[in-house]
């Protein structure tokens, strides 16, 4: 039988695990944890650098939890974890309008739609927060999430790729470093390229129409660098130019 948490350290350890999963570079790991948060009903709310984060009770409430253990735990039940957390935090979970608003914003940051349920919260005492640090994924959150969601328009991205191939004799290659997946990997790399949105989407405050010419073709490495702080198309091209 999986044991519920019995002390504050176990709760904090589970919160650290959640932050690690949300900051994981493996997209499936991030998405799995984010989906648990979006589906939850009862949460431990904790404030990091002015931003409330939310941890679902059914994950936080079991000692030394992990995604693997959580998915394998067929007995997980909020009726077990909620009393355990309430006892440790010495408070009862309840509805807070301001936390509900913060939760909805948090789900937007994670790129998930929250479930349509009634939610309640515990508020973690600030004296425990020094042990927690924000997930890298949440830094610069508006820019990253807006970009991520906008690029999901697959139709316009495919059109951008097709237009590029027509203009370059059927080739797809990185416009920054010149890397050509098909030239290196043969048929395995055919049609392999990533599309990066040229417009600084963090400056756009309203819905807008995305056009094929709004994208630049980039390899995976250059795309990663473009999402680094200070990473711009011009800067990367200058760096590459110095290497040749």
């Amino acid at each position: 039988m999986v044991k519920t948490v019995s002390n504050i350290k176990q709760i904090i350890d589970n919160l650290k695990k959640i932050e690690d999963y949300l900051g994981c570079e493996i997209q499936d790991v991030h998405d799995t944890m984010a989906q648990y948060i979006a589906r939850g009903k009862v949460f431990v709310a904790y404030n990091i650098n002015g931003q409330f984060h939310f941890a679902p009770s059914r994950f936080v409430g079991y000692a030394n939890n992990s995604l693997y253990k959580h998915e394998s735990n067929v007995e997980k039940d909020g009726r077990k974890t909620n009393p355990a957390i309430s006892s440790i935090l010495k408070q009862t979970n309840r509805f807070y309008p301001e936390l509900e608003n913060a939760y909805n914003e948090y789900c937007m940051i994670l790129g998930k739609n929250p479930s349509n349920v009634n939610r309640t919260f515990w508020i973690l005492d600030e004296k425990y927060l020094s042990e927690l640090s924000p997930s890298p994924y949440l830094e610069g959150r508006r820019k990253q999430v807006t970009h991520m969601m906008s690029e999901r328009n697959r139709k316009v991205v495919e059109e951008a790729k097709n237009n590029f191939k027509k203009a370059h004799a059927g080739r797809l290659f990185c416009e920054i470093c010149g890397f050509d997946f098909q030239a290196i990997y043969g048929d395995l790399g055919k049609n392999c390229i990533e599309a990066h949105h040229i417009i600084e989407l963090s400056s756009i405050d309203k819905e807008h129409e995305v056009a094929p010419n709004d994208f630049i073709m980039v390899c995976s490495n250059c795309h990663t660098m473009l999402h680094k702080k200070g990473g711009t198309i011009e800067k990367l091209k200058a760096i590459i130019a110095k290497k040749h």
Side-chain angles (χ1 to χ4, degrees):
M1 185 178 69
V2 183
K3 294 183 178 180
T4 57
V5 289
S6 59
N7 55 64
I8 189 64
K9 183 181 182 304
Q10 291 176 338
I11 290 179
I12 295 297
D13 287 345
N14 283 340
L15 296 182
K16 289 179 180 178
K17 284 276 185 67
I18 290 175
E19 292 295 323
D20 287 344
Y21 290 137
L22 292 177
C24 184
E25 294 181 359
I26 302 173
Q27 191 65 35
D28 285 347
V29 174
H30 162 83
D31 285 345
T32 299
M33 191 69 251
Q35 194 61 45
Y36 282 136
I37 293 171
R39 292 175 181 172
K41 295 181 180 180
V42 187
F43 298 90
V44 174
Y46 51 108
N47 193 311
I48 299 180
N49 296 338
Q51 170 72 51
F52 267 107
H53 296 208
F54 296 87
S57 67
R58 292 205 306 168
F59 186 94
V60 176
Y62 286 103
N64 192 30
N65 211 354
S66 67
L67 278 180
Y68 175 76
K69 290 180 180 179
H70 191 68
E71 293 171 359
S72 303
N73 182 9
V74 295
E75 299 179 357
K76 52 182 175 282
D77 190 338
R79 290 172 295 183
K80 296 178 181 178
T81 57
N82 293 351
I85 296 172
S86 290
S87 176
I88 295 168
L89 298 184
K90 298 183 176 8
Q91 57 178 283
T92 302
N93 55 297
R94 64 185 183 89
F95 176 74
Y96 296 87
E98 63 274 21
L99 287 183
E100 177 67 16
N101 292 335
Y103 169 80
N104 286 317
E105 179 186 349
Y106 190 63
C107 285
M108 183 197 75
I109 291 168
L110 298 178
K112 302 296 180 182
N113 294 319
S115 299
N116 186 23
V117 297
N118 295 322
R119 280 172 282 271
T120 58
F121 310 89
W122 299 276
I123 302 176
L124 187 67
D125 193 302
E126 290 187 2
K127 66 184 178 182
Y128 302 116
L129 297 179
S130 60
E131 298 184 53
L132 294 169
S133 59
S135 158
Y137 177 82
L138 298 176
E139 295 177 359
R141 57 190 181 279
R142 178 178 173 83
K143 177 179 178 181
Q144 291 179 348
V145 173
T146 305
H147 189 105
M148 179 184 69
M149 293 193 311
S150 295
E151 281 199 0
R152 290 297 185 263
N153 189 332
R154 296 181 180 225
K155 185 177 180 180
V156 72
V157 169
E158 286 304 313
E159 187 175 346
K161 291 181 179 180
N162 289 333
N163 289 348
F164 188 88
K165 285 196 292 185
K166 289 177 183 178
H168 297 89
R171 291 182 62 214
L172 282 173
F173 57 88
C174 179
E175 294 184 70
I176 292 177
C177 72
F179 187 85
D180 185 327
F181 283 88
Q182 187 171 5
I184 300 298
Y185 297 108
D187 288 341
L188 188 64
K190 187 177 181 179
N191 293 323
C192 187
I193 201 70
E194 296 181 16
H196 175 75
H197 202 290
I198 299 170
I199 301 172
E200 188 70 21
L201 290 178
S202 61
S203 64
I204 299 174
D205 293 322
K206 60 182 178 180
E207 185 177 359
H208 71 291
E209 184 175 346
V210 180
N213 59 3
D214 288 336
F215 295 90
I216 180 174
M217 300 298 114
V218 293
C219 67
S220 308
N221 287 344
C222 288
H223 205 178
T224 298
M225 293 301 101
L226 286 171
H227 284 282
K228 291 281 190 178
K229 186 177 181 180
T232 66
I233 295 170
E234 293 74 19
K235 184 175 181 179
L236 293 188
K237 284 184 175 180
I239 293 172
I240 294 297
K242 290 181 180 179
K243 301 294 182 180
H244 295 284

